[in-house]
Each structure stands twice: as C-alpha cells, then as structure tokens.
Amino acid sequence: PGWHLECSVMSEKLLGLPIDIHGGGQDLIFPHHENEIAQSEAAIGGQFCRYWVHNGFVRINTEKMSKSLGNFVTIRDIYKRYLPEVLRFFLVSSHYRSPLDYSDQGLDEAEKGLKRLYAARAQMELALGRAKWSETKLPPDVGQELTRHEEGFTAALDDDLNTAQALGHVFGVVRLAGRIMEDKTLAKSREAADILRRIQADLAAWSEILGVFGRESQEFLAELKTSRLARLGIDATRVDGLVAERQEARKAKDFARSDAIRDELA
C-alpha cells in the first residue's frame, strides 16, 4: 500500500496529475492496479491516470517467458545477432495487448520485412531521379487506394494503438509503389512521380510515429548485410575472392574449377 502512495506522490511531483498513461503487464490488472487506483485516488481526491495500457506476455513455445522458468533471452543477447531496429520492428508487428511469440524465425521474418521497406524506399529514390516525365494519366483508383491506406493507418493507431494493422497499410503503400514502378508506361508519368513523392512523405511521417524504417536506405541495407553475414558465419572478403576466381576460371575455360567454385558459393 505504501508503495502505491509513493507512486502517486512521485507522479504528481514529476509529471503532474492526472498522468496520461500507466503501463504494465496484463497480470497486474487485478489486484495490483485496481488497488493502485483505489489508494491513489483516495489520497489525491481525483483522477490518477487517464489510460491504463496492459501488454500481453512474451512467450516461448507457448509458455510465458520468465526468469523462474529459465526460458528467457535478454535484449543484449539478441543484439549480438540482430540489429536493434529488427527487434523494434518485430515488437510493433504485434498489437501490444496480444501475446508475443518470440523466436529466431519471428526475428528473421521481421528482418525480411524491414529490408523490404528500406529496399522499396531506395527504389523510389532511384525512380524519382528521372529527368523527363510524360503526361500519361494514372487510373483514378491509384490515388483512391493511397488515400485508403493513409486513412487506414491513422484509424489503426486510433484503435488502441493497433501497430500491427498500421503496418499492414505501410506495406500496402509499398505494394502500390511497386506496381507503379514496374509498369513501364506509368513509371514515366508525372502523376506517378507525384504519387511516389506522396508515398515517400507518408513513410517518413509513419517512421517517426513507429520508430522504424526511418534511416537512410543504403546505409541501413549495408549494415543489415554485414549483420546477416556475421550471423551466418560468412566471410564477405572470401566470397568476393571466390567470385573473382570463378570469373577467371570461366575466362580460361576451366569449367570444372568454375563449377566447383559455384557449388562452394551456393
């Protein structure tokens, strides 16, 4: 009980009351947070907190991750194998109230998704470097589709911070950009360039909100490549040397050696 009152005193001193958000795990809803509300509001004579945000458990093999069960990993351990942004992307890929099933496979999928977003941003940057544009008109449903994703992203976050659903709209605009850039006629259109710039602006704004895919594209992709090579135990210098050696073998018509190097590279 005394600890609850100390929390309300510290909150009032440092933040002012009522505070906006109080977080915690779902196991704290009852009785811990109900007691905290009762005691704090009795002490201060008013509202203690506007929003209570309770996150789902992190699970491994359907069991709650915990020190007592010995089935836990630390963030420090994860960072030895994955970039910090990959973990952040993995976390926002689920709704905060949903159980989070931790696995290396889940992190691998998050890494692929993050790479896809950065690669799409890099591709748009290249596409927009065109000097001349045609006056070809885009189908009206292109702009409508983009608007639906923009509105959907905001609606998802307004719906109890549904970051998983919001990311669905992020990938939606990336798919739209991909279809535009793959169409040789539309890709040269001035209207298409305007849509791509609008998508770029959306991604920049959304990256600020979600805290992911906000770095310079080529810088991140290069760092990701280094991280993946290290995790797989692949020496990039040796790979480059084998590629060069294979090219020389092909020039010399030493196809047996060329095929052997190809197999080693595979």
Side-chain angles (χ1 to χ4, degrees):
W3 184 84
H4 289 152
L5 294 179
E6 287 175 11
C7 282
S8 62
V9 169
M10 286 189 293
S11 297
E12 183 174 17
K13 179 179 179 181
L14 299 174
L15 304 172
L17 295 178
I19 59 176
D20 288 322
I21 298 173
H22 192 308
Q26 290 178 340
D27 54 337
L28 298 180
I29 296 174
F30 177 83
H32 188 85
H33 284 164
E34 290 195 4
N35 284 340
E36 188 171 356
I37 292 171
Q39 294 174 39
S40 297
E41 296 197 351
I44 64 179
Q47 185 182 32
F48 173 51
C49 178
R50 293 189 177 95
Y51 298 98
W52 293 77
V53 177
H54 296 96
N55 60 277
F57 297 134
V58 179
R59 304 187 304 192
I60 293 184
N61 297 325
T62 73
E63 284 190 312
K64 177 184 175 183
M65 184 188 292
S66 68
K67 286 186 177 180
S68 61
L69 294 175
N71 64 343
F72 71 97
V73 295
T74 67
I75 292 177
R76 187 177 292 107
D77 291 334
I78 295 171
Y79 284 178
K80 291 177 182 177
R81 296 179 296 125
Y82 295 91
L83 296 180
E85 192 172 347
V86 172
L87 176 59
R88 182 183 288 265
F89 189 83
F90 172 70
L91 293 173
V92 299
S93 296
S94 298
H95 190 284
Y96 76 87
R97 281 194 290 105
S98 300
L100 182 68
D101 292 308
Y102 173 85
S103 67
D104 284 352
Q105 181 181 1
L107 287 174
D108 288 341
E109 291 300 316
E111 188 176 70
K112 290 177 184 176
L114 195 56
K115 179 184 177 183
R116 182 182 169 196
L117 292 178
Y118 273 106
R121 288 183 55 201
Q123 188 179 4
M124 281 187 278
E125 290 165 7
L126 287 174
L128 288 170
R130 186 184 302 278
K132 295 181 180 180
W133 300 96
S134 73
E135 299 304 322
T136 303
K137 298 296 182 182
L138 286 179
D141 60 337
V142 172
Q144 294 166 6
E145 181 178 348
L146 178 52
T147 298
R148 284 196 302 272
H149 285 304
E150 290 170 337
E151 293 175 350
F153 179 90
T154 301
L157 292 184
D158 283 346
D159 183 17
D160 194 19
L161 292 176
N162 195 335
T163 54
Q165 193 174 77
L167 276 180
H169 294 290
V170 172
F171 283 106
V173 301
V174 166
R175 286 192 296 271
L176 177 60
R179 293 203 308 271
I180 291 173
M181 290 185 290
E182 288 168 6
D183 188 310
K184 293 182 179 180
T185 300
L186 294 183
K188 300 176 182 178
S189 164
R190 193 182 305 278
E191 285 189 359
D194 291 340
I195 288 290
L196 291 180
R197 291 190 186 96
R198 184 170 151 190
I199 290 174
Q200 281 187 319
D202 287 335
L203 292 176
W206 296 348
S207 70
E208 287 286 326
I209 294 169
L210 297 175
V212 287
F213 60 87
R215 295 176 53 189
E216 196 279 322
S217 298
Q218 296 299 340
E219 177 187 272
F220 173 84
L221 292 171
E223 188 175 340
L224 178 62
K225 179 180 178 180
T226 300
S227 172
R228 295 177 73 180
L229 289 173
R231 188 165 71 248
L232 295 170
I234 295 174
D235 182 343
T237 302
R238 173 163 169 72
V239 171
D240 291 339
L242 286 170
V243 170
E245 187 179 343
R246 182 166 186 258
Q247 290 173 341
E248 291 301 319
R250 288 170 62 85
K251 288 179 182 178
K253 300 188 184 302
D254 186 352
F255 298 114
R257 177 58 182 153
S258 173
D259 290 345
I261 296 173
R262 179 197 61 202
D263 294 340
E264 185 176 355
L265 287 169

